Amino acid sequence: MNIRLIVLLISCLILTSCRQSEKSKEMMKQAMDVYLRAELNDDIKIDSSLAQTNKALEYDDKNLNALNHKAILLFRKKDSKGLNQLADQLFVLTGKPLYLGQKGMYLELEGKTQEAKEYYSRAIEKYKEYLRTDTLNFDLMLEYVGVLEASGDSLNADKILVDMKKMDFEDYQIEMIDLYKEQVVSKEQLIKYWKGEIEYDQIGEK
């Protein structure tokens, strides 16, 4: 094939990809605008935002902002099947153990305790593997703490938080560790929302 033609084809593909990405971002802006409109009924906001988010993903199925926002919307709709599929998609896309832990929680919400334990264990092993070589990754360690707590291992979660305060982190990061217990949303609150015992806006209230 002519080299000029190959270059032209590659250039067209790159241009199309950039346009698709920009269109996806534009759709996500509309999705967020709808979601944040206080005057709308919650169900209308959620469904309208989800429709726009799905459109954004049609243009770019690797748009992480769209995928993570979709997870919030599906959680609000209590769509466990959709959440499990999305967690799988996000893990394949990013390789982050966070999404294995999230799937563990979604399975637990469905009452699938044994499967949930398996996903929590997979997530924990991945965190251990990553942290052997990336020992000062603050965000990764906080994620690890969250997954440990979700799995029911508060003892090790607390130990890691104590150890983190002795590490060479910035002052603002140490402050985040100090405030972690006050600011983190507990699994118990998420379960209460899922069961209809509290409203979504009450999640995080102490």
Side-chain angles (χ1 to χ4, degrees):
M1 186 181 288
N2 186 291
I3 292 177
R4 284 186 178 180
L5 182 56
I6 293 173
V7 171
L8 181 61
L9 286 171
I10 292 172
S11 298
C12 288
L13 287 171
I14 291 171
L15 183 60
T16 300
S17 176
C18 289
R19 285 176 177 168
Q20 296 283 83
S21 178
E22 287 305 312
K23 192 67 177 175
S24 182
K25 289 176 184 176
E26 182 184 324
M27 291 292 105
M28 267 315 294
K29 183 179 182 306
Q30 293 177 26
M32 292 306 300
D33 286 346
V34 171
Y35 185 65
L36 296 172
R37 284 177 64 179
E39 72 273 15
L40 292 177
N41 171 276
D42 274 355
D43 289 337
I44 293 173
K45 281 197 297 188
I46 293 166
D47 289 339
S48 299
S49 187
L50 182 57
Q52 292 298 110
T53 301
N54 284 333
K55 284 182 183 178
L57 290 168
E58 286 175 14
Y59 285 105
D60 180 4
D61 62 359
K62 295 180 175 61
N63 184 330
L64 285 176
N65 286 336
L67 290 166
N68 284 311
H69 182 60
K70 184 173 182 176
I72 294 171
L73 299 173
L74 292 178
F75 183 80
R76 293 197 67 171
K77 290 172 72 68
K78 301 178 183 177
D79 181 353
S80 57
K81 182 180 178 181
L83 285 166
N84 280 313
Q85 291 173 343
L86 192 58
D88 287 337
Q89 185 180 353
L90 281 161
F91 178 66
V92 169
L93 184 60
T94 67
K96 288 187 173 184
L98 171 67
Y99 298 114
L100 293 174
Q102 285 185 356
K103 181 158 184 175
M105 189 186 72
Y106 301 147
L107 288 166
E108 192 171 356
L109 291 173
E110 290 182 307
K112 298 176 180 177
T113 309
Q114 188 54 44
E115 286 182 64
K117 286 180 181 178
E118 291 170 8
Y119 272 90
Y120 285 136
S121 293
R122 285 179 60 190
I124 288 165
E125 287 307 309
K126 279 284 183 188
Y127 278 117
K128 287 178 180 177
E129 178 188 335
Y130 291 162
L131 287 167
R132 283 190 199 104
T133 53
D134 198 1
T135 55
L136 285 174
N137 189 322
F138 180 82
D139 293 337
L140 194 66
M141 293 186 83
L142 272 192
E143 283 181 16
Y144 183 29
V145 168
V147 170
L148 282 170
E149 289 194 331
S151 73
D153 191 355
S154 296
L155 191 65
N156 271 320
D158 289 344
K159 181 180 181 302
I160 290 170
L161 286 174
V162 170
D163 290 344
M164 285 176 73
K165 291 186 69 173
K166 302 171 187 174
M167 293 181 181
D168 189 23
F169 290 126
E170 301 289 339
D171 289 344
Y172 78 91
Q173 292 172 317
I174 299 298
E175 187 177 352
M176 286 174 67
I177 297 168
D178 289 335
L179 296 172
Y180 179 83
K181 289 288 187 179
E182 296 176 27
Q183 296 182 344
V184 71
V185 173
S186 70
K187 183 177 72 174
E188 287 70 26
Q189 286 182 309
L190 298 177
I191 291 172
K192 282 184 178 181
Y193 168 74
W194 197 264
K195 290 180 176 179
E197 295 173 10
I198 61 173
E199 297 297 321
Y200 184 79
D201 292 341
Q202 293 177 285
I203 295 175
E205 289 184 358
K206 303 298 181 182

